[in-house]
Amino acid sequence: MLDKLHSLVRQIAMAEVMPRFLNASISRKADGSLLTEADLAAQAAFAATLPELIDCPMLGEEMTTQRQQELWQHSQQGLWVVDPIDGTNNFINGLPHFALSCAFIQNGRAQLGVVYNPVSDECFYAKHGKGAYLNGRPLPLRSVEKNLHEAIAGVEIKYLRSGKLSSRMNTLAPFGSLRSMGSSTLDWCYLAAGRYDIYVHGGQKLWDYAAGALIFEEAGGQLATLEGDEFWSGMHVFKRSVIAGIQPALFEKWLKWIRENQ
């Protein structure tokens, strides 16, 4: 099933997304964010083909909020969650850092997940309890013991609700260097691969974390939320914060620093 899923994601990327890269018509959604015809075409392709793998509804980023909530409320038997292009601003501006993301969720937890960057041809995927992979290679790709002050951190400061935390992240942060590249799904995968060491985000949408968090966990990473609850059991399904680290000792130090500076 997982092989079929990541093959399908690749096919949709090649058929619907890449032919429109640098050549897509652009519009604005009600919230002011940008939307391209590639987003809509890819989401439609997922909706048409995913039920052939597992016959259940699909929730996509480009649906209305009301429709998304209705689908989630009736998702006990399973639900596909899709972000047709994560990193739309990068896609529009010609930055080769965006991805298609697809997850199968059952009982509130991701069971299958695929994140694919069609420019680099990097396909990250995982099945619950079966490990995570990048193009057939087990994740993480590298594991280097580091001190917190040496760590590469993925940080989305603008989503941190605490003014204190965001200010201290800029001035007193304990890590070595910061990355913010505009695609949450790929952030998860870079963590899983060992390209990033630690991560914090103040509020990801369901389609941002559904596949990526599974891939990261299956690679051995540890995660929590800013509110302190277990990641998958939090009540705020459609906007969930995250604190994460690929190495246990580093994660504990990172978590402690954030808790003390919120």
Side-chain angles (χ1 to χ4, degrees):
M1 179 63 68
L2 186 55
D3 288 344
K4 291 180 180 179
L5 180 58
H6 63 72
S7 177
L8 175 62
V9 174
R10 286 174 179 269
Q11 290 171 17
I12 291 174
M14 293 303 104
E16 306 296 347
V17 175
M18 290 309 293
R20 295 177 169 93
F21 185 38
L22 304 177
N23 188 36
S25 62
I26 303 164
S27 59
R28 286 194 182 273
K29 295 188 277 189
D31 64 1
S33 60
L34 296 175
L35 173 70
T36 75
E37 61 180 346
D39 294 91
L40 296 175
Q43 181 165 289
F46 276 117
T49 54
L50 284 174
E52 296 174 7
L53 299 183
I54 299 176
D55 188 12
C56 66
M58 187 203 80
L59 184 158
E61 180 188 7
E62 308 309 337
M63 293 176 173
T64 65
T65 299
Q66 180 179 348
R67 180 59 178 153
Q68 290 165 349
Q69 292 174 346
E70 289 172 353
L71 286 165
W72 182 261
Q73 290 168 5
H74 299 91
S75 66
Q76 291 82 2
Q77 301 305 312
L79 183 69
W80 290 108
V81 174
V82 166
D83 192 338
I85 302 178
D86 178 45
T88 296
N89 283 342
N90 287 349
F91 179 81
I92 289 168
N93 285 282
L95 296 173
H97 190 80
F98 55 87
L100 292 78
S101 177
C102 180
F104 173 66
I105 291 183
Q106 198 167 42
N107 299 319
R109 189 180 182 93
Q111 304 298 318
L112 301 172
V114 174
V115 174
Y116 179 53
N117 180 339
V119 178
S120 63
D121 192 31
E122 289 191 319
C123 190
F124 301 84
Y125 50 92
K127 180 178 181 179
H128 182 56
K130 300 295 183 180
Y133 299 86
L134 165 57
N135 293 349
R137 298 175 62 189
L139 296 175
L141 300 178
R142 60 193 296 273
S143 181
V144 179
E145 294 295 327
K146 292 183 179 180
N147 293 315
L148 188 55
H149 71 271
E150 300 171 314
I152 294 178
V155 181
E156 282 286 359
I157 289 177
K158 70 177 182 178
Y159 293 106
L160 296 177
R161 288 173 293 176
S162 164
K164 177 182 176 182
L165 180 60
S166 59
S167 175
R168 294 192 174 188
M169 197 71 68
N170 278 314
T171 59
L172 301 173
F175 46 73
S177 60
L178 179 152
R179 302 289 184 272
S180 181
M181 299 173 68
S183 172
S184 295
T185 59
L186 287 175
D187 286 343
W188 284 109
C189 295
Y190 280 21
L191 277 165
R195 296 171 181 173
Y196 292 175
D197 302 301
I198 53 178
Y199 188 59
V200 65
H201 196 296
Q204 292 187 346
K205 299 298 180 67
L206 173 61
W207 43 88
D208 292 326
Y209 69 78
L214 171 66
I215 292 166
F216 173 67
E217 273 195 311
E218 289 297 319
Q222 294 185 289
L223 65 168
T225 71
L226 289 167
E227 294 74 31
D229 48 47
E230 292 292 325
F231 184 80
W232 291 103
S233 65
M235 294 296 293
H236 303 292
V237 171
F238 284 96
K239 190 173 183 181
R240 183 166 285 172
S241 64
V242 58
I243 308 166
I246 192 62
Q247 298 174 13
L250 204 57
F251 170 74
E252 292 301 328
K253 292 176 182 178
W254 178 230
L255 181 65
K256 182 175 184 292
W257 185 88
I258 289 178
R259 294 276 188 258
E260 291 174 347
N261 286 276
Q262 278 185 278

